[in-house]
């Protein structure tokens, strides 16, 4: 029998130093003597929306199980130990094909299965209008259809979230039926009215996909769909905090409105995340420019073409530029997504006995505040040198 490992750090929520004993799960947590030199210890980060990273693409025509397995390993090095592969608007055949590859990856590799609680299908039941549709392929946008969701589930029981635009009269009934299947419904890429948004939430929609994006560039002052989603406490919102999708003041107000208990950070990263600046071609957005500051835009325009930042990048942004307290920011990448994303493991997002042994060590203060310095996933060191 191997002896359990230990790791020490400061609990950001209680302000005390702790020692955690673990193997693949947490075995004990105990308070230790104060030491001002310890980094913050937190659960591994949870990213609820990942399209790709480091040249690896969930939505590529040639995606394989190894693509998904390699993404798991690369994301873990960053501190993202749990993540939700996100399949965007495509033909039903392409969606089913991507689902099959994710399933196979989870069957082949236990670490990948542990890291992926479910799959998010973002579309194809979204707005067909320019602007709200974003970069989703207009040729494959189609009406909300619970029968297609049933077929996805036959292909893969891992389907956990579907993003829809509830702008049609039948949307509430369709959403209620999708919820009966056990699939969570998110509102996004929508031109729905405030009344239609409220009806969708009443029917069972519980999430908002990257709130503030995937919507018309100009809106009525009030009412509008943003105010409605911000005001409704039944809805938990994903937010892209890369510094490009939402200005800092907008992001700050949204977090204040939803609170860290009803908002969580997502990367919405594409395969270009982690790539060098320059001109690139993507599987869904065509030719794009990746600026040195990380802004990803369509060639010759200022329109965003997805995200090239990672979840830890967004986490650092909300601490350094938005001014969120470290403890509150951590809720938005740990306990809140663990609560609202279906299929998560027991105890995920918390440092308590029985929780997965996924940890990050974080710099607490100074200009590097929020920087992850070490990662452990499933009880194994992935990067850095834990204390």
């Amino acid at each position: 029998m191997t002896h359990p490992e230990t790791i020490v750090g400061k609990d950001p929520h209680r302000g005390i130093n702790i020692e955690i004993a673990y193997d693949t799960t947490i075995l004990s947590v105990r308070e230790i003597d104060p030491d001002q030199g310890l980094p913050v210890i937190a659960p591994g980060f949870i990213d609820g929306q990942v399209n790709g990273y480091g040249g690896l693409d969930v939505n590529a025509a040639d995606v394989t199980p190894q693509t998904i397995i390699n993404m798991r390993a690369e994301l873990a090095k960053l501190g993202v130990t749990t993540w939700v592969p996100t399949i965007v608007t495509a033909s039903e055949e392409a969606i089913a094909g991507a689902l099959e590859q994710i399933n196979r990856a989870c069957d082949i590799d236990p670490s990948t299965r542990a890291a992926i609680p479910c799959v998010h299908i973002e579309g194809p039941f979204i707005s067909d209008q320019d602007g709200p549709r974003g970069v989703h392929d207009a040729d494959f946008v189609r009406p909300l259809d619970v029968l297609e969701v049933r077929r996805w589930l036959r292909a893969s029981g891992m389907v956990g979230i579907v993003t829809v635009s509830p702008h049609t009269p039948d949307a509430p009934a369709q959403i209620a039926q999708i919820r009966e299947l056990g699939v969570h419904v998110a509102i996004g890429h929508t031109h729905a009215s405030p009344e239609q948004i409220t009806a969708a939430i009443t029917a069972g929609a519980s999430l908002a996909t990257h709130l503030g994006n995937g919507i018309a560039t100009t809106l009525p002052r009030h009412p509008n769909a943003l105010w409605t989603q911000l005001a409704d406490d039944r809805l938990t919102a994903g937010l892209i905090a890369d510094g490009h999708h939402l200005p800092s003041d907008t992001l700050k107000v949204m977090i204040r409105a939803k609170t860290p208990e009803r908002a969580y950070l997502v990367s919405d990263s594409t395969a270009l995340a982690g790539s060098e600046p320059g001109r690139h071609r993507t599987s869904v957005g065509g030719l794009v420019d990746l600026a040195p500051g990380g802004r990803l835009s369509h060639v010759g325009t200022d329109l965003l073409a997805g995200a090239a930042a990672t979840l830890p990048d967004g986490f650092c942004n909300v601490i350094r530029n938005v001014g969120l307290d470290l403890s509150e920011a951590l809720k938005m990448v740990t306990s809140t997504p663990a609560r609202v994303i279906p299929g998560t493991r027991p105890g995920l997002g918390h440092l308590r006995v029985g929780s997965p042994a996924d940890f990050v060590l974080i710099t607490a203060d100074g200009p590097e505040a929020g920087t992850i310095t070490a990662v452990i996933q499933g009880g194994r060191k992935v990067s850095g040198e834990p204390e």
Side-chain angles (χ1 to χ4, degrees):
M1 178 182 293
T2 60
H3 294 288
E5 301 288 337
T6 60
I7 187 170
V8 297
K10 177 174 286 188
D11 184 317
H13 304 299
R14 296 185 290 165
I16 61 172
N17 290 336
I18 58 174
E19 178 187 78
I20 298 174
Y22 65 91
D23 46 26
T24 58
T25 61
I26 295 178
L27 303 175
S28 66
V29 181
R30 70 179 186 92
E31 185 174 352
I32 59 176
D33 292 336
D35 182 336
Q36 297 304 312
L38 291 183
V40 163
I41 185 170
F45 285 11
I46 303 166
D47 193 339
Q49 194 167 354
V50 180
N51 306 289
Y53 174 75
L56 303 167
D57 191 347
V58 173
N59 293 279
D62 59 353
V63 62
T64 67
Q66 196 61 48
T67 305
I68 307 302
I69 293 169
N70 290 347
M71 280 183 65
R72 193 280 307 167
E74 293 304 311
L75 289 170
K77 293 175 185 177
L78 304 175
V80 178
T81 55
T82 301
W83 57 287
V84 179
T86 300
I87 301 170
V88 299
T89 298
S91 68
E92 185 171 345
E93 180 183 16
I95 291 172
L99 284 170
E100 180 185 358
Q101 301 309 310
I102 296 167
N103 263 10
R104 290 177 58 199
C106 292
D107 289 341
I108 292 167
D109 182 49
S111 295
T112 298
R113 182 66 192 94
I116 297 177
C118 69
V119 178
H120 174 194
I121 301 183
E122 185 186 357
F125 314 131
I126 58 173
S127 173
D128 58 356
Q129 296 184 4
D130 291 344
R133 190 183 72 252
V135 298
H136 288 241
D137 192 332
D139 290 341
F140 295 112
V141 173
R142 46 195 182 270
L144 188 52
D145 183 3
V146 67
L147 296 179
E148 182 169 346
V149 178
R150 288 181 185 273
R151 293 192 293 272
W152 296 341
L153 286 169
R154 285 198 290 270
S156 170
M158 292 186 69
V159 178
I161 304 170
V162 57
T163 292
V164 309
S165 173
H167 60 271
T168 55
D170 67 338
Q174 295 261 9
I175 288 169
Q177 292 177 69
I178 292 171
R179 287 297 296 119
E180 288 174 359
L181 298 175
V183 177
H184 289 223
V185 176
I187 297 169
H189 287 283
T190 186
H191 64 273
S193 69
E195 294 78 13
Q196 290 170 324
I197 295 288
T198 298
I201 297 170
T202 299
S206 60
L207 303 172
T209 294
H210 51 53
L211 187 61
N213 302 112
I215 198 164
T217 55
T218 58
L219 295 167
R221 181 177 54 187
H222 47 71
N224 63 52
L226 286 182
W227 288 119
T228 302
Q229 292 178 80
L230 285 169
D232 200 314
D233 291 343
R234 296 173 294 175
L235 200 71
T236 302
L239 302 170
I240 303 174
D242 63 356
H244 304 293
H245 281 77
L246 297 170
S248 293
D249 56 354
T250 302
L251 185 56
K252 179 183 286 188
V253 171
M254 286 185 167
I255 294 171
R256 284 178 176 173
K258 299 305 289 187
T259 78
E261 283 71 31
R262 290 191 298 272
Y264 60 103
L265 304 184
V266 298
S267 68
D268 197 24
S269 64
T270 66
L272 290 177
S275 300
E276 292 296 320
R279 184 158 292 181
H280 303 268
R281 182 174 295 278
T282 69
S283 63
V284 296
L287 278 178
V288 296
D289 285 327
L290 176 56
R295 182 181 176 87
L296 186 64
S297 58
H298 289 286
V299 169
T301 77
D302 60 356
L303 297 176
L304 290 168
T310 66
L311 187 64
D313 292 330
F315 175 74
C316 288
N317 180 48
V318 299
I319 293 171
R320 301 173 190 175
N321 300 317
V322 178
L324 205 64
D325 176 80
L326 177 65
S327 174
E328 295 297 283
L330 278 170
K331 293 178 184 177
M332 300 179 68
V333 294
T334 58
S335 57
T336 297
R339 188 184 76 250
V340 300
I341 293 172
T344 55
R345 293 165 286 165
L348 189 70
H350 298 274
L351 299 178
R352 60 193 185 205
V353 174
S355 293
D358 294 348
F359 315 115
V360 292
L361 295 181
I362 301 172
T363 303
D365 303 303
E368 298 301 310
T371 300
I372 293 174
T373 59
V375 182
I376 291 174
Q377 182 183 47
R380 297 180 180 180
K381 186 180 75 172
V382 173
S383 65
E385 294 293 334
E387 298 292 321

